[in-house]
């Protein structure tokens, strides 16, 4: 299929600035999760294609891209961002069809991608080294340098946002990227590659090889020519990526999701909290690394919060992505059966409320109505596992110590939020919560391109977004000159 209006063949890879089929010529089928119908075919890249992509990236580092002034890199990123911004509608429609995201959420992702490009365009020439006072007769300074070829393995839930935060930051620092999109979600990655080419990104600075995780993905993770790996996805695959990185002794950034809590204290402004409590659970049908799947509420306000959340849940509707309901389908029938498996494990809990699936939603779509549970002990599987579906549990607590113990009582640590007017409590908990981001009287802060993001424990390590990402995508060289 030719990707409209980008004019590229969906079965092609982008290597060295050229679009071409993968070496085997094999393809994988993409399906529209809104009705299960075949969408198009994509390349089934594998190790030989990854070899070519790494070689092309290497050549880019040796050539024009590697020598380019930081300000010029910034200008190119800026142009990419402008082109993305000129294509909000076609990109959003592609994403909606490919991953089942409701149109308004897909549009927000395109805008976030454009914003990442804008942010990293501006940052490209603002990261610099230092001079260090040293012994008499010496001048010592540091240089921030790109790693070289960087590997980016991304998931299907937010392809555009993750391209923005990962590839955007890596390019800003002057690395040459090899991107392996998820097999379920390639189309906006391919479109992005074409827009980057049109914006004047030199050949080989961004290479895109679609394919399966165990094939193209594993080959990229293990490739000795790759000098840094960034991965967003499951804990199980994250372990494999880190093991592969260990073989080549290269740094790795892992963002592996979470079980993020919101803590609602007795003095919280419940009306202000409500939209955040619910949206953080059902946005993108719960298929969000930073989804808030645990709502911890002081026992004095528990019934009130459950009642108010339940009312919102009952109004939620899931339906085809292009029809733009509150929720689309899940990304695939496989993901739907994983989530339904969890709903089954919640049979001993109380369903406080359930949303609905629109009556006209096609039977072949991967729809799951959102479910709000109560009655889960903090160690219940639904309060411990990352479900990656529209499922939240509400758990009562008696005091701050218990709230903290429950909040920190999972192996994850990505995001947390605290709803309270008590400033001292806010400060205490901001320090004590095990999370890479803590929000006070809000959740998610509107995307937060500028805000360092990443986790601890099973949520992974390393930081993306903001300026911090630029340190991760570069290395520091110390130069010591003895001149007398
Ligand atoms: P999910 O379970 O949400 O699909 P995964 O962690 O399986 O998330 O996938 C995230 C990304 O990792 C995808 O691009 C996928 O192709 C890739 N991937 C899966 N398995 C491997 C692997 N063994 N090596 C490298 N990449 C992989």
């Amino acid at each position: 299929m030719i990707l409209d209006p980008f004019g590229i063949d969906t079965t092609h890879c982008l290597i060295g600035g050229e679009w071409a089929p993968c070496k085997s010529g094999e393809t994988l089928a993409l399906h529209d999760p809104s009705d299960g119908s075949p969408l198009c075919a994509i390349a089934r890249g594998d190790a030989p294609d990854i070899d070519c992509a790494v070689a092309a990236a290497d050549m880019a580092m040796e050539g024009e891209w590697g020598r380019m002034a930081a300000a010029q890199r910034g200008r190119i990123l800026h142009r990419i961002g402008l082109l993305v911004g000129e294509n909000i509608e076609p990109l959003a429609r592609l994403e909606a069809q490919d991953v089942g995201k409701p149109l308004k959420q897909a549009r927000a992702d395109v805008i976030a991608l454009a914003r990442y490009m804008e942010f990293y365009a501006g940052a490209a020439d603002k990261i610099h080294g230092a001079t260090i006072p040293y012994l008499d007769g010496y001048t010592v300074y540091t240089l921030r340098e790109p790693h070289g070829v960087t590997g980016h393995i991304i998931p299907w839930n937010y392809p555009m946002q993750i391209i923005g935060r990962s590839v955007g930051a890596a390019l800003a620092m002057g690395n040459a990227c090899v991107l392996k999109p998820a097999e379920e979600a390639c189309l906006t990655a391919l479109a992005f590659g074409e827009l980057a080419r049109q914006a004047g990104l030199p050949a080989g600075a961004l290479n895109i090889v679609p394919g399966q995780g165990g094939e193209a993905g594993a080959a990229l993770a293990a490739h000795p020519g790759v000098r840094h790996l960034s991965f967003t996805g499951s804990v199980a695959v994250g372990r494999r990526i880190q093991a592969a990185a260990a073989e080549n002794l290269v740094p790795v950034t892992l963002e592996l999701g979470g079980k993020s809590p919101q803590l609602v204290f007795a003095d919280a402004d419940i009306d202000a909290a409500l939209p955040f409590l619910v949206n953080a659970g059902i946005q993108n049908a719960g298929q969000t690394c930073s989804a808030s799947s645990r709502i911890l509420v002081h026992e004095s306000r528990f019934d009130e919060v459950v009642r108010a959340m339940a009312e919102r849940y009952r109004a939620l509707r899931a339906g085809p992505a292009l029809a733009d309901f509150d929720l689309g389908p899940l990304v695939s029938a496989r993901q739907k059966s994983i989530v339904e498996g969890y709903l089954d494990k919640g049979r001993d809990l109380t369903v406080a409320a359930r949303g609905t699936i629109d009556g006209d939603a096609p039977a072949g779509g991967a729809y799951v109505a959102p479910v709000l549970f109560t009655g889960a002990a903090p160690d219940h599987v639904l309060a411990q596992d990352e479900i990656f579906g529209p499922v939240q549990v509400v758990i009562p607590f008696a005091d701050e110590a218990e709230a903290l113990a429950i909040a920190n009582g999972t192996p994850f640590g990505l995001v947390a939020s605290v709803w309270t007017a008590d400033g001292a409590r806010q400060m205490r908990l901001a320090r004590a919560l095990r999370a890479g981001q803590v929000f006070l009287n809000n959740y998610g802060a509107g995307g937060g391109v500028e805000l360092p993001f990443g986790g601890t424990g099973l949520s992974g390590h390393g930081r993306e977004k903001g300026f911090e990402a630029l340190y991760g995508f570069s290395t520091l060289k110390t130069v010591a000159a003895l001149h007398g």
Side-chain angles (χ1 to χ4, degrees):
M1 183 179 102
I2 299 299
L3 209 53
D4 189 41
F6 306 98
I8 47 170
D9 189 322
T10 58
T11 62
H12 285 182
C13 309
L14 177 62
I15 297 179
E18 304 289 335
W19 290 102
C22 62
K23 291 205 175 304
S24 70
E26 284 188 42
T27 58
L28 300 166
L30 283 188
H31 291 89
D32 180 343
S34 289
D35 59 11
S37 65
L39 194 56
C40 64
I42 55 164
R44 182 176 176 174
D46 205 342
D49 309 292
I50 293 292
D51 282 344
C52 290
V54 173
D58 238 350
M59 270 177 62
M61 291 305 301
E62 295 298 317
E64 182 195 358
W65 178 245
R67 287 193 300 273
M68 190 176 281
Q72 181 58 14
R73 290 201 304 268
R75 279 181 209 114
I76 293 174
L77 289 188
H78 185 67
R79 278 202 294 274
I80 300 174
L82 292 177
L83 286 182
V84 169
E86 285 167 18
N87 284 280
I88 293 176
E89 221 40 46
L91 286 168
R93 292 186 80 81
L94 275 185
E95 197 79 307
Q97 284 178 288
D98 200 359
V99 303
K101 212 177 267 267
L103 264 183
K104 56 182 163 308
Q105 290 178 28
R107 283 190 198 106
D109 286 4
V110 188
I111 291 165
L113 172 56
R115 171 73 188 121
Y116 274 113
M117 291 300 138
E118 182 183 56
F119 180 85
Y120 285 119
D125 60 353
K126 291 165 193 70
I127 288 277
H128 39 68
T131 53
I132 299 174
Y134 195 52
L135 304 174
D136 184 41
Y138 278 84
T139 297
V140 179
Y141 61 95
T142 58
L143 293 171
R144 249 219 184 256
E145 297 181 332
H147 292 291
V149 180
T150 52
H152 305 257
I153 299 174
I154 66 166
W156 44 260
N157 60 340
Y158 288 88
M160 286 188 284
Q161 294 218 29
I162 296 172
I163 288 171
R165 76 188 195 199
S166 152
V167 169
L171 290 175
M173 284 314 298
N175 298 280
C177 305
V178 179
L179 168 65
K180 209 299 281 174
E183 44 275 64
E184 299 87 343
C186 273
L187 300 185
T188 52
L190 298 176
F192 177 80
E194 177 58 17
L195 293 178
R197 226 172 59 100
Q198 290 174 12
L201 188 68
L206 170 61
N207 306 277
I208 304 177
V209 182
Q212 290 190 321
E215 297 175 356
L220 179 56
H223 201 291
V226 173
R227 307 311 311 157
H228 179 281
L229 282 166
S230 64
F231 170 78
T232 303
S234 61
V235 172
V237 177
R239 288 199 173 98
R240 289 177 178 224
I241 303 288
Q242 182 149 340
E247 277 305 307
N248 294 321
L249 288 171
V250 295
V252 52
T253 303
L254 300 176
E255 199 270 89
L256 310 176
K259 192 72 188 172
S260 299
Q262 301 197 56
L263 284 59
V264 184
F265 283 86
D267 64 346
D269 179 345
I270 305 287
D271 288 340
L274 258 181
F276 290 90
L277 297 180
V278 174
N279 290 346
I282 58 99
Q283 180 182 316
N284 208 33
Q287 304 165 113
T288 304
C289 309
S290 56
S292 176
S293 46
R294 296 184 299 153
I295 307 297
L296 317 184
V297 186
H298 187 261
E299 57 196 14
S300 66
R301 315 275 316 256
F302 184 79
D303 291 344
E304 175 190 352
V305 170
V306 170
R307 240 192 337 268
M309 288 184 73
E311 196 176 318
R312 283 178 179 250
Y313 258 72
R314 282 191 281 271
L316 293 172
R317 275 200 304 162
L322 292 177
D324 213 6
F325 286 89
D326 305 302
L327 294 86
L330 301 191
V331 72
S332 60
R334 178 177 154 261
Q335 190 63 22
K336 176 180 163 165
S337 77
I338 292 172
V339 173
E340 286 177 343
Y342 276 108
L343 294 179
D344 226 33
K345 290 180 189 164
R347 271 179 312 187
D348 55 328
L349 306 182
T350 304
V351 174
R354 215 184 271 276
T356 50
I357 297 170
D358 183 67
D360 292 333
Y367 300 99
V368 172
V371 187
L372 184 69
F373 282 108
T374 56
D379 62 353
H380 191 283
V381 62
L382 265 66
Q384 287 287 319
D385 284 17
E386 185 184 43
I387 297 173
F388 236 56
V391 182
Q392 288 178 296
V393 293
V394 196
I395 301 173
F397 64 80
D399 55 24
E400 182 178 316
E402 190 187 10
L404 181 63
I406 299 172
N408 285 350
T410 77
F412 296 101
L414 192 60
V415 175
S417 101
V418 183
W419 294 90
T420 179
D422 180 338
R425 175 169 279 158
Q426 292 172 6
M427 295 302 107
R428 272 195 306 276
L429 288 173
R431 284 177 188 267
L433 283 163
R434 217 158 57 92
Q437 286 188 334
V438 175
F439 295 100
L440 303 173
N441 293 320
N442 72 100
Y443 191 94
V449 166
E450 306 84 346
L451 313 182
F453 176 70
T456 180
L458 289 194
S459 294
H461 52 76
R463 293 293 176 263
E464 294 183 294
K465 303 192 179 187
F467 255 62
E468 199 62 31
L470 299 168
Y471 300 118
F473 280 116
S474 60
T475 177
L476 197 72
K477 179 184 282 171
T478 304
V479 181
L482 172 57
H483 41 69

